Amino acid sequence: MNCDLCGLPLARSKVQQVGGKKIFRFCCPGCRQVFLILSTSPEGMPINFRETELYKACVESGIIPREEEDISSRETPKDSPNRESSPPPLRLTIKVEGMWCPACSWLIEEVLRRTKGVLEPQVFFLSDLVHVKYSPHILSPREIMTRISRLGYRPSLFQDALAIEREKKDLQLRLGVSSILAMNVMMISLALYAGFFRDLSQTAIGYFSYPLWVMTTPVIFYGGLPILRRAYAGLRYGSASMDTLISVGALAAYFYSLVQMARGSLHLYFDTASMLITLVLLGKYIETQAREKVSAGITDLYKLANQKVRLFTPTLTLPPQGGGDSSETLLLSHPLAGGESPITLSPLAGEESHINSPPSAGPELQINSPPLPGEGPQTTPPPLVGGGWGEGEKERWIPAKDAKPGDEFLVLGGERVPLDGRVFSGRGDVDQSIFTGEAMPVRKGPGDEIMGGVLLLEGNLKLKVTRVGQESTLGQMITLMQEALSKKNPVELLADRITHWFVPCIFVIAGAVALLLWRFNSSVDEALLRSLTVLIISCPCALGIAIPLVKVAAIGVGRGKGILVRNPEALEQAKDLDTIVFDKTGTLTEGNFSLQEIFAEGVSEQEALGRLAPVEAFSTHFLGKEIVRKAREKSIKMEEATAFEELEGMGVKGSAGGTEVFIGNRRLMNKFGLDLSSSLENRAFFSESRGMTVVFFGWGGQVHGLLVFGDSLKRGVTDLVRKLQARKMITWLVSGDAPATTRAVAEESGINEFRGQALPQDKVELIRSLQQKGRRVGMVGDGINDAAALAQADVGFALGTGTNIIQEASDFTLLAADPTRLLEVLDLSALTAKTVRQNLFFAFLYNALAIPLAVAGLLNPLIAVFAMFASSLTVVGNALKISRKKTL
């Protein structure tokens, strides 16, 4: 028998694959893996697959044997024995597009492993990355990418990650070299200042200036090179910055010391110049680490938005090629297909690899799932990854950005859901804490919506894509957070304006000090040192990072707790609120209305539901959906309704069975002249006084009955209201529901002020009237239905699940739909404002004290260096307090 791929004799090979009713046999593991890639290709199995570039490249690389002798000699090329004389290996990271299944990553890794000069290839399928350790004297990065591209993939250098990593390593290296040299300069300088060498002659002591000069030079021109470059670039464009001050100060101290050294003087300031550069680099490193820490919650979103998704498409047909009869249809299925025993694929490290297929496996191929996220690269060929949950489907992997609404995808337990989707098969528990901050698992099943990025703890789900790209939950959150980070509040704009003029003013002050001292017959040395101290001790850096670092920290901490900050200015305003207005339904109450009672006059309950349900079938309101559900529960036949119209804040109307039907509140009944009997009025008042929601219905000029819906307060609402009132805040409840119902809910929750039967414009008027009385008002409600009221309020808080957050007209979005999170927002606002004030106070106080002291000559340049560093460190450390806060 011959191999179904290359046509060579099978010999003793037991490598095989089941597809449809056909068992395909291969001479080696390489042939089987290439067969799987070809058969699961998104473009379909090529008719002449032996003419494809993939097949030819695999033959050339030795993955597919050329002749029978190759089958028994499949050893990986050994490294050169003369490695000792070779240059050290380099590392390369490549981004690869076009990998559609884990077998692709195995193929790329095997081809690279067999490439002379490649020492250690690692291919990560889920992240589309290839890490290669290679010998630069044997092959170049371009040749490595050419090998990959010949397999049909699209390689490119992973510039972003490399650039960031290079920048961090460069900073660490410059800091390390500068620190070692600067500490030695300081040690010798302190010894000279302390008089340890007073027994030596002046000439002998002068020789110590040369090692100081030698060690300071690389600190200035290697460690400080990025600073000098930025300062030079700023001067070219007429802009002075912190780098300008540091560069002028360091170079002035350095060249002044050179002149003094040439004169034979021991009054040198090499220690000042070297410590200035070293401490600035240390401050930059600490600031970089701080930014990474405070922005960790934000960068998580970017990582989650770039996952891979396992899609399903119709099965393709295998063309009749190869050494055997291969005309069968290859049906691929997943191991989760109902109840059958999976085929175990043994490791493919040797030629005795085979498949143990139980007799009960049936005609469909059962496989192991691909590795979960977080596992390492493929070191052995992966099992077959093709398939779905039924006959006629196959599996392929694509980047999440390439998926389209309606695509079907599978998520296994332990994986993150890559896209927003609706479950249509399977059940499982998901962890939504990445969005909501709540670690409590949530059970999901058919019909439930799931946000991309949540973790599937257990179970397996099959979903249909609902939103992709910027319309997805992750996309919306990233967009909004980018906008929030780019916005600047008035205090930040003021700090920017001050920083812009700060550096020129310092140069003017330093120049003025030097001229005045020279004018009043002070020595040139004294004038230069005094002005140098002014330049060094001035610190616009602390002022420049005082607010941005706090803002990033606050937005990151909020995101981790399920609080999306849409307007950073609101972080300053929320702490000053003295009035909170709550919407009722879905905000303080669960919003899960159940139809508890139906009261009808002159018609039966069956007839009433038969007229109401067809009209409400067109409504998106949750009360309408509950009416339809009740009708279906009672198996009531629903006719097609026409002329449907929704009247905002009142209800709906439409024609059913040739009769115009009205469903809504008292305003709707009055508007269309429907008479309401006293018995129904009394019944409605009784239900409303118990906190129930009442909906009237009628036709033919008469109200024929009412529907009673029940709802309940959310957990913790009463405690929330009590705590707000303890903070001297006035609480209001507004609702489109009846006044009696609104009063009952207000009394139950402890709210003193309320207004019922309020239209959206009535809520806006209420907030406006409170503001005219001098109140600072916060509105808590639904992000879309209450958009006008949220926009009118001083600060708007929207509760929701995050599916339409981009449309909300709020300053904050509470993704957990938990009103008690309002307290955390208020506390975060207070903490943020306090930290900003402290940072600005430290920055202004430092400069207000330090600059006059420097002008007065009470400080020397070395003390100025340490004082400048301490001021920046104080601001950074204070901002980090927000990130370290476990509870607000």
Side-chain angles (χ1 to χ4, degrees):
M1 296 181 67
N2 296 331
C3 174
D4 283 323
L5 187 78
C6 68
L8 293 175
L10 291 177
R12 293 178 298 171
S13 173
K14 297 181 181 179
V15 180
Q16 58 187 20
Q17 196 71 63
V18 179
K21 299 179 181 179
K22 175 72 177 178
I23 296 179
F24 299 96
R25 294 179 171 83
F26 308 98
C27 63
C28 63
C31 284
R32 189 192 72 160
Q33 291 303 115
V34 175
F35 171 82
L36 295 180
I37 295 173
L38 289 169
S39 62
T40 59
S41 166
E43 290 78 22
M45 185 76 170
I47 297 177
N48 298 314
F49 59 79
R50 289 179 188 165
E51 300 300 321
T52 62
E53 288 297 321
L54 174 64
Y55 187 92
K56 293 177 181 178
C58 291
V59 172
E60 181 181 336
S61 303
I63 300 294
I64 298 174
R66 289 186 176 88
E67 52 191 22
E68 193 171 351
E69 287 74 14
D70 290 344
I71 301 175
S72 58
S73 57
R74 309 294 301 232
E75 296 182 357
T76 302
K78 301 289 190 296
D79 292 327
S80 171
N82 299 323
R83 181 176 294 182
E84 292 79 5
S85 60
S86 303
L90 300 179
R91 293 188 178 273
L92 178 68
T93 301
I94 300 172
K95 180 80 172 177
V96 177
E97 297 182 14
M99 289 195 290
W100 58 76
C101 71
C104 298
S105 62
W106 175 87
L107 175 63
I108 294 174
E109 187 167 308
E110 282 301 302
V111 168
L112 293 178
R113 198 184 303 279
R114 294 168 184 269
T115 301
K116 185 179 180 182
V118 174
L119 306 178
E120 187 181 320
Q122 291 181 313
V123 182
F124 298 86
F125 167 67
L126 290 177
S127 58
D128 284 334
L129 293 180
V130 177
H131 297 310
V132 182
K133 186 178 180 181
Y134 69 101
S135 300
H137 66 292
I138 297 178
L139 80 169
S140 66
R142 179 56 54 192
E143 291 173 314
I144 295 175
M145 290 195 291
T146 300
R147 299 284 287 183
I148 297 174
S149 62
R150 287 203 60 190
L151 297 174
Y153 305 103
R154 299 179 298 282
S156 60
L157 290 177
F158 192 54
Q159 298 289 355
D160 293 341
L162 289 176
I164 294 171
E165 191 63 28
R166 275 200 304 268
E167 185 178 350
K168 289 178 64 176
K169 288 184 177 180
D170 181 70
L171 176 59
Q172 291 171 346
L173 181 60
R174 292 180 191 275
L175 175 60
V177 171
S178 299
S179 299
I180 293 171
L181 294 175
M183 292 307 294
N184 282 280
V185 170
M186 286 294 298
M187 182 176 63
I188 297 174
S189 298
L190 288 174
L192 288 174
Y193 296 154
F196 289 168
F197 305 108
R198 66 183 65 180
D199 295 335
L200 298 178
S201 66
Q202 191 74 10
T203 303
I205 294 176
Y207 288 134
F208 280 99
S209 61
Y210 291 101
L212 292 177
W213 168 57
V214 170
M215 288 187 289
T216 301
T217 300
V219 174
I220 300 296
F221 297 104
Y222 169 70
L225 183 59
I227 300 172
L228 298 175
R229 282 176 174 170
R230 289 194 296 268
Y232 175 69
L235 291 176
R236 284 182 61 192
Y237 293 100
S239 174
S241 65
M242 178 68 180
D243 293 320
T244 312
L245 282 178
I246 295 168
S247 299
V248 172
L251 292 175
Y254 177 79
F255 287 111
Y256 173 79
S257 300
L258 276 180
V259 173
Q260 292 292 89
M261 186 177 71
R263 292 177 179 175
S265 172
L266 291 180
H267 294 287
L268 308 176
Y269 291 92
F270 287 124
D271 52 351
T272 300
S274 60
M275 286 306 296
L276 176 58
I277 294 296
T278 301
L279 290 179
V280 168
L281 290 176
L282 179 59
K284 179 66 175 175
Y285 179 75
I286 293 173
E287 181 186 339
T288 301
Q289 296 296 105
R291 285 185 180 276
E292 289 184 1
K293 181 178 179 62
V294 301
S295 62
I298 299 172
T299 53
D300 285 345
L301 296 181
Y302 290 90
K303 295 176 183 177
L304 291 174
N306 291 283
Q307 301 184 82
K308 296 196 112 179
V309 58
R310 189 191 284 107
L311 293 186
F312 293 100
T313 56
T315 303
L316 302 178
T317 303
L318 181 67
Q321 285 197 68
D325 181 12
S326 308
S327 59
E328 303 285 346
T329 297
L330 179 61
L331 296 179
L332 307 172
S333 79
H334 199 273
L336 302 171
E340 298 175 326
S341 301
I343 292 176
T344 303
L345 301 183
S346 63
L348 302 180
E351 63 179 72
E352 292 300 318
S353 302
H354 61 281
I355 300 176
N356 299 320
S357 176
S360 61
E364 294 186 342
L365 174 64
Q366 305 295 312
I367 60 168
N368 294 321
S369 63
L372 298 177
E375 293 184 352
Q378 298 285 352
T379 54
T380 60
L384 173 61
V385 204
W389 274 2
E391 187 172 347
E393 290 182 329
K394 76 160 195 170
E395 167 190 308
R396 65 188 176 100
W397 292 79
I398 64 170
K401 63 183 178 63
D402 293 337
K404 298 178 179 61
D407 286 346
E408 297 178 4
F409 65 99
L410 171 70
V411 182
L412 305 179
E415 295 179 347
R416 287 201 177 272
V417 179
L419 294 163
D420 289 1
R422 181 177 290 106
V423 180
F424 68 90
S425 183
R427 294 185 181 276
D429 294 328
V430 299
D431 178 0
Q432 301 180 139
S433 59
I434 190 72
F435 295 120
T436 65
E438 295 180 347
M440 182 71 68
V442 179
R443 190 69 175 173
K444 296 290 185 178
D448 292 334
E449 291 248 357
I450 297 184
M451 294 180 288
V454 304
L455 177 65
L456 180 59
L457 298 173
E458 62 177 1
N460 303 286
L461 300 176
K462 201 170 184 184
L463 307 94
K464 280 191 176 182
V465 178
T466 54
R467 288 172 297 275
V468 296
Q470 292 188 343
E471 295 180 0
S472 67
T473 304
L474 280 171
Q476 293 180 58
M477 291 183 68
I478 290 172
T479 299
L480 292 174
M481 295 186 81
Q482 286 174 335
E483 292 176 356
L485 289 171
S486 65
K487 293 177 182 176
K488 294 187 177 183
N489 58 37
V491 178
E492 193 171 358
L493 291 172
L494 176 62
D496 286 348
R497 286 195 293 270
I498 294 174
T499 304
H500 178 73
W501 290 104
F502 186 88
V503 174
C505 289
I506 293 301
F507 276 116
V508 171
I509 293 172
V513 168
L515 287 174
L516 286 173
L517 290 174
W518 176 76
R519 176 71 179 81
F520 288 101
N521 300 322
S522 295
S523 66
V524 174
D525 290 350
E526 174 66 18
L528 289 175
L529 285 177
R530 193 87 61 92
S531 60
L532 177 62
T533 304
V534 172
L535 290 176
I536 293 174
I537 205 167
S538 305
C539 189
C541 182
L543 186 60
I545 65 175
I547 301 177
L549 200 60
V550 174
K551 180 175 70 174
V552 173
I555 291 175
V557 168
R559 197 217 60 76
K561 294 181 176 295
I563 303 167
L564 184 60
V565 180
R566 303 165 61 93
N567 179 13
E569 188 174 347
L571 277 171
E572 293 282 327
Q573 299 172 341
K575 63 179 176 52
D576 298 322
L577 298 177
D578 55 22
T579 304
I580 299 293
V581 178
F582 291 99
D583 178 46
K584 181 180 76 70
T585 305
T587 301
L588 295 187
T589 64
E590 294 290 351
N592 298 324
F593 284 87
S594 61
L595 180 55
Q596 297 185 355
E597 295 178 288
I598 302 176
F599 294 95
E601 290 183 347
V603 293
S604 66
E605 181 178 315
Q606 293 283 110
E607 182 183 350
L609 283 176
R611 294 195 180 192
L612 302 181
V615 176
E616 291 289 5
F618 290 92
S619 174
T620 58
H621 198 278
F622 43 82
L623 294 182
K625 292 179 180 179
E626 173 64 11
I627 294 172
V628 174
R629 186 198 66 78
K630 194 72 172 179
R632 287 173 176 165
E633 182 184 278
K634 293 179 175 291
S635 302
I636 295 175
K637 183 179 179 181
M638 293 190 296
E639 299 179 0
E640 179 98 18
T642 58
F644 174 81
E645 183 180 352
E646 188 169 349
L647 294 97
E648 187 177 26
M650 291 187 285
V652 299
K653 69 185 186 73
S655 295
T659 303
E660 190 171 31
V661 179
F662 301 88
I663 312 168
N665 56 24
R666 288 178 178 82
R667 282 189 177 184
L668 182 70
M669 302 298 118
N670 293 334
K671 179 179 177 65
F672 290 95
L674 276 71
D675 293 330
L676 177 62
S677 67
S678 58
S679 59
L680 286 177
E681 180 66 67
N682 293 335
R683 182 72 244 185
F685 181 79
F686 174 75
S687 298
E688 290 168 347
S689 64
R690 293 187 294 128
M692 301 293 186
T693 296
V694 173
V695 174
F696 298 93
F697 60 86
W699 52 85
Q702 182 70 37
V703 177
H704 287 280
L706 55 88
L707 309 170
V708 179
F709 296 86
D711 197 4
S712 59
L713 281 180
K714 290 183 177 180
R715 186 176 59 181
V717 166
T718 304
D719 192 46
L720 165 66
V721 173
R722 180 179 55 79
K723 289 180 178 179
L724 289 174
Q725 292 172 346
R727 299 186 186 197
K728 310 300 183 185
M729 303 181 80
I730 297 175
T731 52
W732 275 81
L733 179 65
V734 293
S735 174
D737 220 328
T741 302
T742 307
R743 177 190 289 111
V745 174
E747 291 174 353
E748 184 181 358
S749 58
I751 296 175
N752 297 324
E753 306 289 340
F754 66 90
R755 179 171 297 180
Q757 209 156 333
L759 297 173
Q761 56 267 33
D762 296 329
K763 297 178 183 180
V764 173
E765 286 300 323
L766 171 64
I767 293 173
R768 186 179 291 123
S769 65
L770 290 171
Q771 291 170 330
Q772 290 172 351
K773 296 176 182 178
R775 313 298 300 184
R776 292 182 292 274
V777 184
M779 172 70 193
V780 186
D782 180 273
I784 299 172
N785 295 336
D786 295 321
L790 289 168
Q792 177 63 42
D794 294 287
V795 180
F797 306 87
L799 273 67
T801 58
T803 55
N804 289 296
I805 55 177
I806 200 75
Q807 301 176 28
E808 296 168 356
S810 62
D811 299 300
F812 297 94
T813 298
L814 311 182
L815 297 175
D818 179 5
T820 61
R821 293 289 177 91
L822 175 64
L823 294 172
E824 293 188 349
V825 179
L826 298 177
D827 291 340
L828 178 63
S829 171
L831 178 61
T832 301
K834 177 183 176 182
T835 307
V836 167
R837 286 197 301 269
Q838 289 174 343
N839 278 359
L840 291 176
F841 174 77
F842 290 144
F844 281 115
L845 179 66
Y846 164 80
N847 285 290
L849 295 177
I851 295 174
L853 290 174
V855 170
L858 300 177
L859 300 175
N860 65 43
L862 187 60
I863 294 176
V865 169
F866 283 97
M868 181 271 296
F869 174 71
S871 69
S872 295
L873 202 61
T874 301
V875 170
V876 171
N878 199 43
L880 283 175
K881 289 194 307 183
I882 296 179
S883 295
R884 290 194 294 264
K885 273 284 187 184
K886 300 298 181 185
T887 58
L888 294 173

